Amino acid sequence: MWHDHVLTAKQFSRADIETVLDRAADFDGPTGDTRHTDSLLGLLFFEPSTRTKMSFETAIKRLGGDTIDMGSVGSSSVSKGESLADTVRVIEGYADALVLRHPKQGAAKMASEFVDVPVINAGDGAGHHPTQTLLDLYTIRENAGLDDLSIGIMGDLKYGRTVHSLAQALTNFEVTQHFVSPESLALPPTVRYDLDEAGASVEEHTGLDGVLPDLDVLYVTRIQRERFPDENEYRAVASEYGIDLGTLENAKDDLSIMHPLPRVDEIDPAIDDTDHATYFEQAHNGIPVRMALLDLLL
Amino acid sequence: MTDDHQLRVGKIENGTVIDHVTGGQALNVLAILDIDGSGGEEVSVGMNVPSDRIGRKDIVKVEGRELSQGEVDVLSLIAPDATINIVRNYDVVEKHRVERPAEVVGVLSCPNANCITTEREPVDSRFTVLADGVRCAYCGTLIREEFATHIDVG
Ligand SMILES: [Zn+2]
């Protein structure tokens, strides 16, 4: 057994990550598979995320399995006040593994303590999003390798769970992480603690200009309107932490630009046609990576 | 020497003497024990008393109360050198030093309002004890100071 559950990116060693990515490479093609025909994946999405959900649905169906879905929260027993602990113990009786998306941090970890089937964390509040991280790493490995890299991570670093998970996972590799954000959205102390403890090479910046020429990868995330009390302040910050063709004049020719999507204004669509754009490939990689993960867990 | 200083704040008949508390932490010890005087407890406090072992120390004596393990665990975070003396009929019947536990369970509440342990779920709070604080085992939130304000009363 590889791991019982997938709860945080922190649980992965370098070998764990390489196991998933190597297997994902085997699944990365047009062929389907039938090795998990009898498997049912329980989808428990306590907040909407159509893409993450569809990506898990696609992955299990391409392995020959199927899903059961508790539906939207408003129409389920959760709206009647059932605890998460009870919900997962009921669905455990139906499904071979549970995929949980929940607004509260630590929800997946708690759920894993109540069930014997694998729990996969598909995002818990501002906490973790480990399967996104695995597909991010797969994409980085395909484009730039996973060592001797300078990786820029820009945007909302405070609330962005994809950033937290990616930063933790990258401590397994020889990379320098450059965090670029307004001070009000800098990495939270808990993530910084993990990076320091792992001895990671980390630099924090409030602007992209000085660091851009060194970067092999630039991971852009969305800054959300609701993080700012006023519209003008938001606009100023959003434009400062967005990129267009002009921004990239000093970038390396082989800079990969990534984004967990959906994007709003932070990457100018003019970049889509350049070799820098890696975000759609990144989104596609969610399928082979989640197939690999399910194959290891089921 | 120590006995003299203990006498200075009076003997107790039954209860707990918390000795060798880090100087200046006595009021936080009282907060951890949820003692603010309003409950009528008989409490003596000595602050910044000279100590051979730790320089200056505080002493807290609580009449009629023996501490729970959870309370002792949290005490250890702010007063790692403390000794707990259980007194019955004016005699010290048990004496032990606090030990920093690997984790404290069900004692502190997580300050992160978005943590699953703050919901109505059948789960205790759980904090891993680090060299310089504690960390929620569910959401990762760090607490490095003012432990007393996070005590989950009742
Ligand atoms: Zn917590």
Side-chain angles (χ1 to χ4, degrees):
Chain A
M1 183 54 91
W2 175 69
H3 275 278
D4 291 336
H5 306 282
V6 174
L7 305 177
T8 76
K10 241 191 323 185
Q11 78 186 69
F12 302 139
S13 66
R14 181 177 180 125
D16 289 336
I17 292 166
E18 286 175 342
T19 299
V20 181
L21 304 195
D22 290 346
R23 192 163 303 204
D26 294 338
F27 286 120
D28 195 356
T31 54
D33 204 288
T34 53
R35 69 181 72 189
H36 294 288
T37 308
D38 296 325
S39 294
L40 271 181
L41 195 57
L43 302 177
L44 286 75
F45 278 63
F46 288 81
E47 60 180 21
S49 174
T50 310
R51 287 197 217 181
T52 301
K53 192 155 97 172
M54 282 182 72
S55 144
F56 274 104
E57 282 177 327
T58 307
I60 189 68
K61 286 178 177 171
R62 284 202 178 275
L63 290 168
D66 209 340
T67 60
I68 54 169
D69 187 341
M70 77 170 192
S72 68
V73 173
S75 62
S76 73
S77 57
V78 175
S79 60
K80 302 185 184 89
E82 185 179 60
S83 70
L84 173 62
D86 281 2
T87 305
V88 294
R89 280 181 284 190
V90 171
I91 311 301
E92 176 191 23
Y94 308 159
D96 302 298
L98 305 178
V99 178
L100 178 67
R101 170 78 149 233
H102 199 279
K104 294 284 173 180
Q105 282 170 258
K109 176 175 166 53
M110 190 204 78
S112 75
E113 293 169 356
F114 285 90
V115 300
D116 291 324
V117 299
V119 172
I120 302 169
N121 186 359
D124 60 342
H128 304 278
H129 198 358
T131 68
Q132 173 74 40
T133 293
L134 290 168
L135 74 89
D136 292 341
L137 294 172
Y138 184 82
T139 310
I140 294 170
R141 188 170 81 166
E142 286 211 311
N143 285 280
L146 273 172
D147 289 296
D148 304 317
L149 296 178
S150 281
I151 299 186
I153 303 180
M154 182 169 81
D156 179 353
L157 310 182
K158 184 174 185 181
Y159 300 98
R161 60 186 159 210
T162 60
V163 168
H164 303 163
S165 288
L166 179 61
Q168 286 165 340
L170 285 173
T171 63
N172 288 296
F173 303 93
E174 293 296 320
V175 302
T176 300
Q177 302 190 54
H178 294 274
F179 294 98
V180 183
S181 73
E183 267 170 37
S184 63
L185 295 176
L187 279 183
T190 169
V191 177
R192 193 58 213 248
Y193 181 91
D194 287 325
L195 298 183
D196 291 344
E197 203 183 34
S201 172
V202 169
E203 290 182 29
E204 293 185 86
H205 314 266
T206 53
L208 184 61
D209 289 354
V211 66
L212 181 69
D214 293 333
L215 299 181
D216 302 294
V217 174
L218 175 58
Y219 194 99
V220 183
T221 67
R222 183 157 45 107
I223 290 176
Q224 297 191 51
R225 165 71 188 90
E226 57 266 34
R227 304 297 177 210
F228 292 86
D230 102 19
E231 182 73 26
N232 289 332
E233 199 185 328
Y234 162 71
R235 284 221 194 103
V237 168
S239 71
E240 194 181 340
Y241 294 91
I243 56 170
D244 56 24
L245 288 175
T247 318
L248 297 180
E249 270 170 18
N250 297 319
K252 287 186 184 175
D253 289 341
D254 59 356
L255 169 71
S256 289
I257 295 172
M258 298 174 61
H259 191 297
L261 301 181
R263 69 173 153 178
V264 182
D265 295 322
E266 57 275 13
I267 300 177
D268 187 324
I271 291 175
D272 298 358
D273 299 326
T274 70
D275 290 338
H276 297 301
T278 316
Y279 26 92
F280 294 116
E281 175 192 335
Q282 181 187 358
H284 159 81
N285 288 338
I287 304 303
V289 168
R290 290 188 172 111
M291 286 173 75
L293 201 59
L294 291 169
D295 189 40
L296 285 160
L297 289 167
L298 288 168
Chain B
M1 281 299 281
T2 304
D3 283 346
D4 284 347
H5 292 304
Q6 289 205 9
L7 282 171
R8 192 181 292 179
V9 286
K11 280 206 170 223
I12 61 174
E13 183 176 355
N14 291 295
T16 306
V17 177
I18 306 154
D19 199 357
H20 301 103
V21 172
T22 312
Q25 292 293 333
L27 296 179
N28 288 331
V29 169
L30 292 178
I32 286 170
L33 302 181
D34 195 26
I35 290 172
D36 62 5
S38 65
E41 308 92 340
E42 195 179 323
V43 178
S44 315
V45 175
M47 294 175 84
N48 294 314
V49 180
S51 158
D52 292 341
R53 204 169 89 209
I54 62 172
R56 292 275 168 177
K57 67 175 185 180
D58 290 1
I59 302 175
V60 176
K61 300 186 179 191
V62 186
E63 182 73 47
R65 166 105 174 251
E66 294 183 12
L67 305 192
S68 71
Q69 189 59 46
E71 289 169 328
V72 173
D73 284 350
V74 178
L75 261 180
S76 74
L77 302 176
I78 62 161
D81 297 311
T83 48
I84 310 285
N85 303 286
I86 307 292
V87 178
R88 290 183 198 139
N89 202 17
Y90 296 106
D91 281 331
V92 174
V93 295
E94 269 179 55
K95 182 170 188 139
H96 45 94
R97 291 181 67 163
V98 300
E99 279 174 42
R100 283 172 77 81
E103 54 180 22
V104 289
V105 177
V107 182
L108 298 167
S109 63
C110 186
N112 174 7
N114 207 38
C115 177
I116 191 73
T117 62
T118 65
E119 292 295 290
R120 281 181 35 226
E121 295 287 345
V123 66
D124 285 328
S125 72
R126 181 178 294 270
F127 285 83
T128 307
V129 178
L130 310 171
D132 63 343
V134 299
R135 190 174 203 197
C136 177
Y138 290 90
C139 73
T141 295
L142 293 160
I143 308 178
R144 287 186 156 130
E145 49 201 13
E146 298 187 352
F147 296 101
T149 63
H150 302 295
I151 304 286
D152 197 0
V153 181

